[in-house]
Amino acid sequence: MNTLRLTFFIPLLSSSLVWSGYLEYDQDVLIPEDWTHVGRVEPTEDLELTFALKQQNVHLLEETLRLVSEPDSAQYGKHLHLEEVASLVRPSELTQKVVHHWLQSHGITNCQTVQTQDFLQCTMTAEVAETLLPGSKFHHYARDGHSVVRSSAPYSVHDDIHQHLDFVGGLHRFPPKGQDLSKASSNRKQKQSKTGMHLGVTPAILRARYNLSATDVGTAQNNSQAVAQFLEQYYSPADLAEFMTIYGRSFKHLSQVDRVVGTQGAGKAGLEASLDVEYIMSTGANISTWVFTNPGRHESQEPFLQWMVLLSNMSDLPWVHTISYGDDEDSLSAAYMMRINTEFMKAGVRGISLLFASGDSGAGCRHFGKGQNSFRPSFPASSPYVTTVGGTSFKNPFKVTYEVTDYISGGGFSNVFKMPDYQASAVDSYLKTVAATLPPQAYFNISGRAYPDMAALSDNYWVVINRVPVPWVSGTSASTPVVGGMLSLINDQRLLKGLPALGFLNPRLYKLKGQALFDVTEGCHLGCLDEQVQGQGFCAAPSWDPVTGWGTPNYPALLSVLLAE
């Protein structure tokens, strides 16, 4: 979000203010430029807020995740059920009692909890909400015909409550704007098709490049995959059927989604939604697919948070989820990101693989004024507990050739999360290899979680939207479902052999040291347009790099190493 930030004023007022009830004192509360202020919320208007209760045993949860995800561990693949996760992290009785009493003392009784009891979603009037959370002021905002309710000022909670909550959802964090996936048509030179050469990426091209044969399709009964959407977007069942008629002839596939969780809106299908569904079902062919669509039950809800809450309340979930969603790390509070990380760990210990797109802004750029800039990491791409997918292009856009960096591919180093052990040696060796050509140290946090973890083609896709095939669609929201579908196929084979699902992939992926992946060693991605880095971020290199991770999947080789005990 391109906004100045005012948040640094809060800690300066007095250091005690930070601790006297401001749960998210470092949260960006400025209204993004693309949202228009509509007016104050009426005192009697209902809001729905989400209370993230402090969990127990978060360190134990992290240790459990390490043990079930580390291939050399005796616990590898011994995933937990939702009930077991609940008994691990469930807030203490004291926390539950204090928070419930606090809400009831304000007359708030209409609340729903989740199986893990660490989220409460409560309905109350705006007047009650502003009394409950001193400092908050609720307003209506609109963008592109979509409206939300958010607070224009930071909220606080009473000192007695502070230690029992991580944050309150529904006051800050506007839905980010989706990437312009058709930017390719203006940014990239469109070349004319030559005889005998392909034009654009289709399922057949992907299956050829990543060595998927016609028989590489799902057959296991207990396998499923999902895409999650948070941008007021809907996929169209008619578009999906049409897409498979045109592009799915060479392999066995499904032409419809098995389950939609949330409300599919009416109106035109969204490019992003169509892309995700059409391509996860092309690589993850013949596998039952779910769509989590923007729940948007209330304007005051944060759609991404809603999805996270949902995962804590569903005992039966697909094994692979791909998500094309991200926000600047610096626009989010540390408390919020830490808690979302815990939610990712809760999914990982259950054997769920979460794949996030690395973003479409290269290394990103944050301007501090006076010509001072730094790269700008994106979250959740920068979370140590998800697998982040970057993007590539064909070296020759009209042949199935080797791949090079797609200059938009998001990547870099987190400013919030430290580098996890599983990647330390890979990142260290990259930093040594390219030491002479690295951007200046002031631009990135050399000890932060580095991403992406792997990549796939992200340039020049064909998508069917409103019954018409549309070319030149690009972005890591294309590469992410493509990788997700391949991991679903690998899960399929594992489940048929009686093995557990892959779960959190990173510890195993980094142990492979690039084996079974096509290494991408050419090209750089975008950075700050200034004298020091001149528009360039990081560059690809042999083995792991912060543009394409370990590279792109060579499916048969990846299947064979990930099927091994």
Side-chain angles (χ1 to χ4, degrees), residues 191-209:
K191 301 183 180 84
Q192 295 307 306
S193 176
K194 300 188 182 85
T195 325
M197 297 184 181
H198 85 276
L199 174 59
V201 175
T202 62
I205 297 287
L206 289 167
R207 294 180 77 89
R209 168 59 187 154

mmCIF file with all atom_site columns, all heavy atoms in Angstrom, residues 191-209:
data_model
loop_
_atom_site.group_PDB
_atom_site.id
_atom_site.type_symbol
_atom_site.label_atom_id
_atom_site.label_alt_id
_atom_site.label_comp_id
_atom_site.label_asym_id
_atom_site.label_entity_id
_atom_site.label_seq_id
_atom_site.pdbx_PDB_ins_code
_atom_site.Cartn_x
_atom_site.Cartn_y
_atom_site.Cartn_z
_atom_site.occupancy
_atom_site.B_iso_or_equiv
_atom_site.pdbx_formal_charge
_atom_site.auth_seq_id
_atom_site.auth_comp_id
_atom_site.auth_asym_id
_atom_site.auth_atom_id
_atom_site.pdbx_PDB_model_num
ATOM 1   N N   . LYS A 1 191 ? 5.228  -10.466 -28.892 1.00 0.00 ? 191 LYS A N   1
ATOM 2   C CA  . LYS A 1 191 ? 5.878  -10.898 -30.127 1.00 0.00 ? 191 LYS A CA  1
ATOM 3   C C   . LYS A 1 191 ? 4.881  -11.695 -30.955 1.00 0.00 ? 191 LYS A C   1
ATOM 4   O O   . LYS A 1 191 ? 3.972  -12.313 -30.432 1.00 0.00 ? 191 LYS A O   1
ATOM 5   C CB  . LYS A 1 191 ? 7.102  -11.758 -29.794 1.00 0.00 ? 191 LYS A CB  1
ATOM 6   C CG  . LYS A 1 191 ? 8.127  -11.011 -28.926 1.00 0.00 ? 191 LYS A CG  1
ATOM 7   C CD  . LYS A 1 191 ? 9.342  -11.877 -28.698 1.00 0.00 ? 191 LYS A CD  1
ATOM 8   C CE  . LYS A 1 191 ? 10.385 -11.175 -27.845 1.00 0.00 ? 191 LYS A CE  1
ATOM 9   N NZ  . LYS A 1 191 ? 10.150 -11.281 -26.422 1.00 0.00 ? 191 LYS A NZ  1
ATOM 10  N N   . GLN A 1 192 ? 5.077  -11.694 -32.246 1.00 0.00 ? 192 GLN A N   1
ATOM 11  C CA  . GLN A 1 192 ? 4.180  -12.441 -33.123 1.00 0.00 ? 192 GLN A CA  1
ATOM 12  C C   . GLN A 1 192 ? 4.508  -13.923 -33.044 1.00 0.00 ? 192 GLN A C   1
ATOM 13  O O   . GLN A 1 192 ? 5.650  -14.318 -32.897 1.00 0.00 ? 192 GLN A O   1
ATOM 14  C CB  . GLN A 1 192 ? 4.343  -11.966 -34.577 1.00 0.00 ? 192 GLN A CB  1
ATOM 15  C CG  . GLN A 1 192 ? 3.904  -10.531 -34.790 1.00 0.00 ? 192 GLN A CG  1
ATOM 16  C CD  . GLN A 1 192 ? 2.504  -10.276 -34.298 1.00 0.00 ? 192 GLN A CD  1
ATOM 17  O OE1 . GLN A 1 192 ? 1.567  -10.971 -34.686 1.00 0.00 ? 192 GLN A OE1 1
ATOM 18  N NE2 . GLN A 1 192 ? 2.334  -9.301  -33.419 1.00 0.00 ? 192 GLN A NE2 1
ATOM 19  N N   . SER A 1 193 ? 3.482  -14.735 -33.162 1.00 0.00 ? 193 SER A N   1
ATOM 20  C CA  . SER A 1 193 ? 3.697  -16.174 -33.127 1.00 0.00 ? 193 SER A CA  1
ATOM 21  C C   . SER A 1 193 ? 4.407  -16.632 -34.398 1.00 0.00 ? 193 SER A C   1
ATOM 22  O O   . SER A 1 193 ? 4.151  -16.121 -35.483 1.00 0.00 ? 193 SER A O   1
ATOM 23  C CB  . SER A 1 193 ? 2.339  -16.859 -33.030 1.00 0.00 ? 193 SER A CB  1
ATOM 24  O OG  . SER A 1 193 ? 2.499  -18.229 -33.082 1.00 0.00 ? 193 SER A OG  1
ATOM 25  N N   . LYS A 1 194 ? 5.337  -17.568 -34.235 1.00 0.00 ? 194 LYS A N   1
ATOM 26  C CA  . LYS A 1 194 ? 5.997  -18.148 -35.415 1.00 0.00 ? 194 LYS A CA  1
ATOM 27  C C   . LYS A 1 194 ? 5.506  -19.577 -35.562 1.00 0.00 ? 194 LYS A C   1
ATOM 28  O O   . LYS A 1 194 ? 5.138  -20.221 -34.596 1.00 0.00 ? 194 LYS A O   1
ATOM 29  C CB  . LYS A 1 194 ? 7.516  -18.138 -35.222 1.00 0.00 ? 194 LYS A CB  1
ATOM 30  C CG  . LYS A 1 194 ? 8.111  -16.745 -35.012 1.00 0.00 ? 194 LYS A CG  1
ATOM 31  C CD  . LYS A 1 194 ? 9.632  -16.841 -35.037 1.00 0.00 ? 194 LYS A CD  1
ATOM 32  C CE  . LYS A 1 194 ? 10.275 -15.484 -34.785 1.00 0.00 ? 194 LYS A CE  1
ATOM 33  N NZ  . LYS A 1 194 ? 10.443 -15.145 -33.392 1.00 0.00 ? 194 LYS A NZ  1
ATOM 34  N N   . THR A 1 195 ? 5.515  -20.062 -36.778 1.00 0.00 ? 195 THR A N   1
ATOM 35  C CA  . THR A 1 195 ? 5.014  -21.409 -37.030 1.00 0.00 ? 195 THR A CA  1
ATOM 36  C C   . THR A 1 195 ? 5.741  -22.422 -36.156 1.00 0.00 ? 195 THR A C   1
ATOM 37  O O   . THR A 1 195 ? 6.944  -22.360 -35.988 1.00 0.00 ? 195 THR A O   1
ATOM 38  C CB  . THR A 1 195 ? 5.271  -21.795 -38.502 1.00 0.00 ? 195 THR A CB  1
ATOM 39  O OG1 . THR A 1 195 ? 5.120  -20.612 -39.266 1.00 0.00 ? 195 THR A OG1 1
ATOM 40  C CG2 . THR A 1 195 ? 4.302  -22.847 -38.974 1.00 0.00 ? 195 THR A CG2 1
ATOM 41  N N   . GLY A 1 196 ? 4.971  -23.354 -35.599 1.00 0.00 ? 196 GLY A N   1
ATOM 42  C CA  . GLY A 1 196 ? 5.587  -24.438 -34.839 1.00 0.00 ? 196 GLY A CA  1
ATOM 43  C C   . GLY A 1 196 ? 6.061  -24.042 -33.455 1.00 0.00 ? 196 GLY A C   1
ATOM 44  O O   . GLY A 1 196 ? 6.697  -24.827 -32.779 1.00 0.00 ? 196 GLY A O   1
ATOM 45  N N   . MET A 1 197 ? 5.766  -22.822 -33.022 1.00 0.00 ? 197 MET A N   1
ATOM 46  C CA  . MET A 1 197 ? 6.180  -22.416 -31.680 1.00 0.00 ? 197 MET A CA  1
ATOM 47  C C   . MET A 1 197 ? 4.948  -22.013 -30.886 1.00 0.00 ? 197 MET A C   1
ATOM 48  O O   . MET A 1 197 ? 4.000  -21.505 -31.444 1.00 0.00 ? 197 MET A O   1
ATOM 49  C CB  . MET A 1 197 ? 7.143  -21.230 -31.766 1.00 0.00 ? 197 MET A CB  1
ATOM 50  C CG  . MET A 1 197 ? 8.424  -21.564 -32.490 1.00 0.00 ? 197 MET A CG  1
ATOM 51  S SD  . MET A 1 197 ? 9.505  -20.156 -32.443 1.00 0.00 ? 197 MET A SD  1
ATOM 52  C CE  . MET A 1 197 ? 10.893 -20.794 -33.386 1.00 0.00 ? 197 MET A CE  1
ATOM 53  N N   . HIS A 1 198 ? 4.990  -22.228 -29.575 1.00 0.00 ? 198 HIS A N   1
ATOM 54  C CA  . HIS A 1 198 ? 3.802  -21.926 -28.795 1.00 0.00 ? 198 HIS A CA  1
ATOM 55  C C   . HIS A 1 198 ? 3.730  -20.433 -28.503 1.00 0.00 ? 198 HIS A C   1
ATOM 56  O O   . HIS A 1 198 ? 4.716  -19.719 -28.589 1.00 0.00 ? 198 HIS A O   1
ATOM 57  C CB  . HIS A 1 198 ? 3.804  -22.714 -27.490 1.00 0.00 ? 198 HIS A CB  1
ATOM 58  C CG  . HIS A 1 198 ? 4.579  -22.047 -26.410 1.00 0.00 ? 198 HIS A CG  1
ATOM 59  N ND1 . HIS A 1 198 ? 5.927  -22.186 -26.281 1.00 0.00 ? 198 HIS A ND1 1
ATOM 60  C CD2 . HIS A 1 198 ? 4.190  -21.205 -25.413 1.00 0.00 ? 198 HIS A CD2 1
ATOM 61  C CE1 . HIS A 1 198 ? 6.341  -21.482 -25.251 1.00 0.00 ? 198 HIS A CE1 1
ATOM 62  N NE2 . HIS A 1 198 ? 5.329  -20.863 -24.709 1.00 0.00 ? 198 HIS A NE2 1
ATOM 63  N N   . LEU A 1 199 ? 2.553  -20.000 -28.147 1.00 0.00 ? 199 LEU A N   1
ATOM 64  C CA  . LEU A 1 199 ? 2.365  -18.607 -27.761 1.00 0.00 ? 199 LEU A CA  1
ATOM 65  C C   . LEU A 1 199 ? 1.614  -18.603 -26.438 1.00 0.00 ? 199 LEU A C   1
ATOM 66  O O   . LEU A 1 199 ? 0.433  -18.869 -26.385 1.00 0.00 ? 199 LEU A O   1
ATOM 67  C CB  . LEU A 1 199 ? 1.559  -17.869 -28.835 1.00 0.00 ? 199 LEU A CB  1
ATOM 68  C CG  . LEU A 1 199 ? 1.160  -16.432 -28.505 1.00 0.00 ? 199 LEU A CG  1
ATOM 69  C CD1 . LEU A 1 199 ? 2.381  -15.578 -28.247 1.00 0.00 ? 199 LEU A CD1 1
ATOM 70  C CD2 . LEU A 1 199 ? 0.345  -15.831 -29.632 1.00 0.00 ? 199 LEU A CD2 1
ATOM 71  N N   . GLY A 1 200 ? 2.312  -18.331 -25.373 1.00 0.00 ? 200 GLY A N   1
ATOM 72  C CA  . GLY A 1 200 ? 1.657  -18.278 -24.068 1.00 0.00 ? 200 GLY A CA  1
ATOM 73  C C   . GLY A 1 200 ? 1.627  -19.624 -23.356 1.00 0.00 ? 200 GLY A C   1
ATOM 74  O O   . GLY A 1 200 ? 1.839  -20.672 -23.953 1.00 0.00 ? 200 GLY A O   1
ATOM 75  N N   . VAL A 1 201 ? 1.368  -19.560 -22.053 1.00 0.00 ? 201 VAL A N   1
ATOM 76  C CA  . VAL A 1 201 ? 1.390  -20.769 -21.224 1.00 0.00 ? 201 VAL A CA  1
ATOM 77  C C   . VAL A 1 201 ? -0.028 -21.339 -21.083 1.00 0.00 ? 201 VAL A C   1
ATOM 78  O O   . VAL A 1 201 ? -0.970 -20.621 -20.769 1.00 0.00 ? 201 VAL A O   1
ATOM 79  C CB  . VAL A 1 201 ? 1.972  -20.435 -19.825 1.00 0.00 ? 201 VAL A CB  1
ATOM 80  C CG1 . VAL A 1 201 ? 1.888  -21.634 -18.891 1.00 0.00 ? 201 VAL A CG1 1
ATOM 81  C CG2 . VAL A 1 201 ? 3.417  -19.957 -19.957 1.00 0.00 ? 201 VAL A CG2 1
ATOM 82  N N   . THR A 1 202 ? -0.142 -22.625 -21.328 1.00 0.00 ? 202 THR A N   1
ATOM 83  C CA  . THR A 1 202 ? -1.408 -23.361 -21.177 1.00 0.00 ? 202 THR A CA  1
ATOM 84  C C   . THR A 1 202 ? -1.099 -24.624 -20.356 1.00 0.00 ? 202 THR A C   1
ATOM 85  O O   . THR A 1 202 ? 0.079  -24.954 -20.148 1.00 0.00 ? 202 THR A O   1
ATOM 86  C CB  . THR A 1 202 ? -1.946 -23.801 -22.547 1.00 0.00 ? 202 THR A CB  1
ATOM 87  O OG1 . THR A 1 202 ? -0.972 -24.698 -23.128 1.00 0.00 ? 202 THR A OG1 1
ATOM 88  C CG2 . THR A 1 202 ? -2.176 -22.622 -23.479 1.00 0.00 ? 202 THR A CG2 1
ATOM 89  N N   . PRO A 1 203 ? -2.114 -25.365 -19.924 1.00 0.00 ? 203 PRO A N   1
ATOM 90  C CA  . PRO A 1 203 ? -1.841 -26.611 -19.196 1.00 0.00 ? 203 PRO A CA  1
ATOM 91  C C   . PRO A 1 203 ? -0.899 -27.557 -19.954 1.00 0.00 ? 203 PRO A C   1
ATOM 92  O O   . PRO A 1 203 ? -0.006 -28.160 -19.340 1.00 0.00 ? 203 PRO A O   1
ATOM 93  C CB  . PRO A 1 203 ? -3.228 -27.219 -19.019 1.00 0.00 ? 203 PRO A CB  1
ATOM 94  C CG  . PRO A 1 203 ? -4.121 -26.021 -18.904 1.00 0.00 ? 203 PRO A CG  1
ATOM 95  C CD  . PRO A 1 203 ? -3.560 -25.030 -19.897 1.00 0.00 ? 203 PRO A CD  1
ATOM 96  N N   . ALA A 1 204 ? -1.063 -27.665 -21.276 1.00 0.00 ? 204 ALA A N   1
ATOM 97  C CA  . ALA A 1 204 ? -0.198 -28.577 -22.044 1.00 0.00 ? 204 ALA A CA  1
ATOM 98  C C   . ALA A 1 204 ? 1.264  -28.132 -21.987 1.00 0.00 ? 204 ALA A C   1
ATOM 99  O O   . ALA A 1 204 ? 2.180  -28.964 -21.865 1.00 0.00 ? 204 ALA A O   1
ATOM 100 C CB  . ALA A 1 204 ? -0.677 -28.650 -23.496 1.00 0.00 ? 204 ALA A CB  1
ATOM 101 N N   . ILE A 1 205 ? 1.495  -26.827 -22.062 1.00 0.00 ? 205 ILE A N   1
ATOM 102 C CA  . ILE A 1 205 ? 2.860  -26.287 -21.997 1.00 0.00 ? 205 ILE A CA  1
ATOM 103 C C   . ILE A 1 205 ? 3.469  -26.572 -20.616 1.00 0.00 ? 205 ILE A C   1
ATOM 104 O O   . ILE A 1 205 ? 4.621  -26.998 -20.497 1.00 0.00 ? 205 ILE A O   1
ATOM 105 C CB  . ILE A 1 205 ? 2.841  -24.756 -22.261 1.00 0.00 ? 205 ILE A CB  1
ATOM 106 C CG1 . ILE A 1 205 ? 2.340  -24.457 -23.677 1.00 0.00 ? 205 ILE A CG1 1
ATOM 107 C CG2 . ILE A 1 205 ? 4.195  -24.126 -21.983 1.00 0.00 ? 205 ILE A CG2 1
ATOM 108 C CD1 . ILE A 1 205 ? 3.298  -24.780 -24.788 1.00 0.00 ? 205 ILE A CD1 1
ATOM 109 N N   . LEU A 1 206 ? 2.685  -26.348 -19.560 1.00 0.00 ? 206 LEU A N   1
ATOM 110 C CA  . LEU A 1 206 ? 3.171  -26.599 -18.200 1.00 0.00 ? 206 LEU A CA  1
ATOM 111 C C   . LEU A 1 206 ? 3.500  -28.074 -18.011 1.00 0.00 ? 206 LEU A C   1
ATOM 112 O O   . LEU A 1 206 ? 4.525  -28.439 -17.434 1.00 0.00 ? 206 LEU A O   1
ATOM 113 C CB  . LEU A 1 206 ? 2.115  -26.192 -17.169 1.00 0.00 ? 206 LEU A CB  1
ATOM 114 C CG  . LEU A 1 206 ? 1.887  -24.696 -17.001 1.00 0.00 ? 206 LEU A CG  1
ATOM 115 C CD1 . LEU A 1 206 ? 0.608  -24.436 -16.205 1.00 0.00 ? 206 LEU A CD1 1
ATOM 116 C CD2 . LEU A 1 206 ? 3.077  -24.034 -16.299 1.00 0.00 ? 206 LEU A CD2 1
ATOM 117 N N   . ARG A 1 207 ? 2.604  -28.929 -18.514 1.00 0.00 ? 207 ARG A N   1
ATOM 118 C CA  . ARG A 1 207 ? 2.811  -30.363 -18.327 1.00 0.00 ? 207 ARG A CA  1
ATOM 119 C C   . ARG A 1 207 ? 4.043  -30.822 -19.117 1.00 0.00 ? 207 ARG A C   1
ATOM 120 O O   . ARG A 1 207 ? 4.776  -31.698 -18.658 1.00 0.00 ? 207 ARG A O   1
ATOM 121 C CB  . ARG A 1 207 ? 1.543  -31.140 -18.681 1.00 0.00 ? 207 ARG A CB  1
ATOM 122 C CG  . ARG A 1 207 ? 0.387  -30.828 -17.706 1.00 0.00 ? 207 ARG A CG  1
ATOM 123 C CD  . ARG A 1 207 ? -0.911 -31.577 -18.012 1.00 0.00 ? 207 ARG A CD  1
ATOM 124 N NE  . ARG A 1 207 ? -0.856 -32.961 -17.587 1.00 0.00 ? 207 ARG A NE  1
ATOM 125 C CZ  . ARG A 1 207 ? -1.203 -33.407 -16.376 1.00 0.00 ? 207 ARG A CZ  1
ATOM 126 N NH1 . ARG A 1 207 ? -1.630 -32.558 -15.469 1.00 0.00 ? 207 ARG A NH1 1
ATOM 127 N NH2 . ARG A 1 207 ? -1.116 -34.683 -16.086 1.00 0.00 ? 207 ARG A NH2 1
ATOM 128 N N   . ALA A 1 208 ? 4.301  -30.174 -20.258 1.00 0.00 ? 208 ALA A N   1
ATOM 129 C CA  . ALA A 1 208 ? 5.512  -30.513 -21.027 1.00 0.00 ? 208 ALA A CA  1
ATOM 130 C C   . ALA A 1 208 ? 6.766  -30.024 -20.304 1.00 0.00 ? 208 ALA A C   1
ATOM 131 O O   . ALA A 1 208 ? 7.727  -30.776 -20.123 1.00 0.00 ? 208 ALA A O   1
ATOM 132 C CB  . ALA A 1 208 ? 5.433  -29.888 -22.429 1.00 0.00 ? 208 ALA A CB  1
ATOM 133 N N   . ARG A 1 209 ? 6.760  -28.781 -19.847 1.00 0.00 ? 209 ARG A N   1
ATOM 134 C CA  . ARG A 1 209 ? 7.950  -28.213 -19.216 1.00 0.00 ? 209 ARG A CA  1
ATOM 135 C C   . ARG A 1 209 ? 8.312  -28.953 -17.916 1.00 0.00 ? 209 ARG A C   1
ATOM 136 O O   . ARG A 1 209 ? 9.476  -29.201 -17.630 1.00 0.00 ? 209 ARG A O   1
ATOM 137 C CB  . ARG A 1 209 ? 7.715  -26.716 -18.919 1.00 0.00 ? 209 ARG A CB  1
ATOM 138 C CG  . ARG A 1 209 ? 8.763  -26.071 -18.006 1.00 0.00 ? 209 ARG A CG  1
ATOM 139 C CD  . ARG A 1 209 ? 10.174 -26.148 -18.560 1.00 0.00 ? 209 ARG A CD  1
ATOM 140 N NE  . ARG A 1 209 ? 11.181 -25.685 -17.615 1.00 0.00 ? 209 ARG A NE  1
ATOM 141 C CZ  . ARG A 1 209 ? 12.453 -26.085 -17.621 1.00 0.00 ? 209 ARG A CZ  1
ATOM 142 N NH1 . ARG A 1 209 ? 12.868 -26.968 -18.501 1.00 0.00 ? 209 ARG A NH1 1
ATOM 143 N NH2 . ARG A 1 209 ? 13.299 -25.604 -16.733 1.00 0.00 ? 209 ARG A NH2 1
#
